[in-house]
Amino acid sequence: MAQFSLEGKVALVTGASYGIGFAIACGYAKAGATVIFNDINQDLVDKGIAAYKAENIRAHGYVCDVTNEDQVNAMVAQIEKEVGTIDILVNNAGIIKRIPMHEMKAAEFRQVIDIDLNGPFIVSKAVLPSMMKKNSGKIINICSMMSELGRETVSAYAAAKGGLKMLTRNIASEYGGYNIQCNGIGPGYIATPQTAPLREKQADGSAHPFDQFIIAKTPAARWGTPEDLVGPAVFLASEASGFVNGHILYVDGGILAYIGKQP
Ligand code: NAP
Ligand code: GCO
């Protein structure tokens, strides 16, 4: 259906050499978009370009740290010169540090907030002027279960993702009048490098306790895959969501709705 098409659109997905961002960018390319991604060093960008090529996708890759405003502004200017103005921004780049809060250094807390919350602010701010001029734009922030729930050891991440939920709503509020929709995707527990430590087999070959916990907490009784996020991401980037604004779409297999299987 034409309203789900991204033909002719230019999409920037941050931190998309692999993982969730890579899957979303591939889905955007298959929906017709020109795909751009960034990562923090040339080696990762080169690896990303090769990975997209293996999917028959000619992606544009840029080295850029989303926390560095000068780098972000230079990258957006270069993209506008070399590719075109950005129609769709996915703020995907993010890290997590799993440390008990009472043991976490302030610098570690700040680093997570910087990448996971300041980064989306900086990149969104850089693309908004062109979207405002065109009276059209899509900004999609990759939030988290931790935009709604806390758990041990992820205080900085939860604070950042909770803030990202409200940044999403504020961008929606402040720029909806320019026909710019800003929404979030809240993935559940997705099998990527970021969650690999939570799925590592135990020495005796048994499943990681956290792996078993997530399976019991998810009605779908499985971890999500990056591909599970592609349809929702295409929907939020397309004309089909033209009147959806400030919404966090949880793609979690039902975790947020479920008390969990009785042990
Ligand atoms: P990932 O596999 O760790 O990939 C994160 C990507 O972001 C990497 O390419 C990373 O590059 C890049 N990145 C990190 N810091 C950056 C910076 N300062 N500037 C530019 N790029 C940077 O993570 P993922 O699992 O795909 O997650 C992607 C997003 O989804 C994150 O925002 C994460 O919080 C969110 N999320 C993940 C899950 C999940 O279960 N996996 C669930 C909910 C939400 P490097 O390789 O150089 O670090
Ligand atoms: C964790 C996980 C989660 C997921 C995701 C859930 O340690 O609890 O890494 O934070 O990454 O954000 O939505």
Side-chain angles (χ1 to χ4, degrees):
M1 283 167 76
Q3 62 176 343
F4 290 93
S5 167
L6 303 183
E7 281 298 336
K9 300 291 183 186
V10 174
L12 167 62
V13 185
T14 64
S17 296
Y18 57 87
I20 287 172
F22 178 78
I24 289 175
C26 288
Y28 283 2
K30 288 172 186 146
T34 297
V35 160
I36 302 161
F37 73 101
N38 72 295
D39 225 309
I40 48 180
N41 63 52
Q42 192 60 50
D43 179 45
L44 270 173
V45 169
D46 294 344
K47 285 194 174 117
I49 288 174
Y52 284 107
K53 200 166 172 211
E55 300 289 329
N56 293 320
I57 295 167
R58 181 182 170 275
H60 301 260
Y62 294 83
V63 176
C64 177
D65 176 343
V66 294
T67 66
N68 183 315
E69 190 162 25
D70 291 342
Q71 284 186 25
V72 168
N73 290 336
M75 173 180 70
V76 170
Q78 203 177 353
I79 289 169
E80 293 190 346
K81 199 167 115 219
E82 295 173 354
V83 187
T85 53
I86 294 164
D87 301 293
I88 301 158
L89 166 64
V90 179
N91 284 306
N92 166 77
I95 65 166
I96 192 168
K97 285 185 184 298
R98 300 184 182 95
I99 305 167
M101 184 173 146
H102 66 285
E103 295 169 8
M104 184 175 242
K105 297 184 181 68
E108 291 168 321
F109 188 93
R110 284 196 194 95
Q111 188 189 8
V112 175
I113 297 290
D114 206 14
I115 295 169
D116 294 10
L117 182 56
N118 294 343
F121 161 76
I122 290 168
V123 185
S124 300
K125 179 171 171 258
V127 305
L128 274 168
S130 297
M131 290 182 173
M132 291 161 75
K133 220 174 279 170
K134 280 191 305 186
N135 204 50
S136 166
K138 293 282 191 178
I139 296 176
I140 296 152
N141 294 321
I142 306 296
C143 297
S144 162
M145 294 290 93
M146 276 58 216
S147 296
E148 302 294 342
L149 304 170
R151 85 173 185 85
E152 298 78 4
T153 77
V154 296
S155 60
Y157 185 81
K161 293 299 189 180
L164 186 55
K165 172 174 75 172
M166 284 314 302
L167 179 63
T168 301
R169 290 182 177 158
N170 215 76
I171 293 171
S173 306
E174 193 163 3
Y175 297 97
Y178 291 94
N179 186 33
I180 294 167
Q181 292 88 48
C182 181
N183 293 288
I185 288 177
Y189 280 83
I190 311 294
T192 71
Q194 192 244 53
T195 54
L198 305 175
R199 291 176 282 107
E200 263 162 20
K201 285 272 184 249
Q202 304 296 284
D204 64 3
S206 64
H208 191 294
F210 197 89
D211 182 358
Q212 298 171 47
F213 168 65
I214 291 301
I215 298 296
K217 280 287 286 178
T218 308
R222 68 173 175 87
W223 283 73
T225 66
E227 289 66 33
D228 286 322
L229 301 167
V230 172
V234 170
F235 165 65
L236 288 177
S238 72
E239 292 313 310
S241 57
F243 202 54
V244 179
N245 202 19
H247 183 75
I248 312 296
L249 177 54
Y250 286 98
V251 186
D252 66 355
I255 287 185
L256 280 178
Y258 184 40
I259 195 169
K261 193 175 289 306
Q262 184 185 343

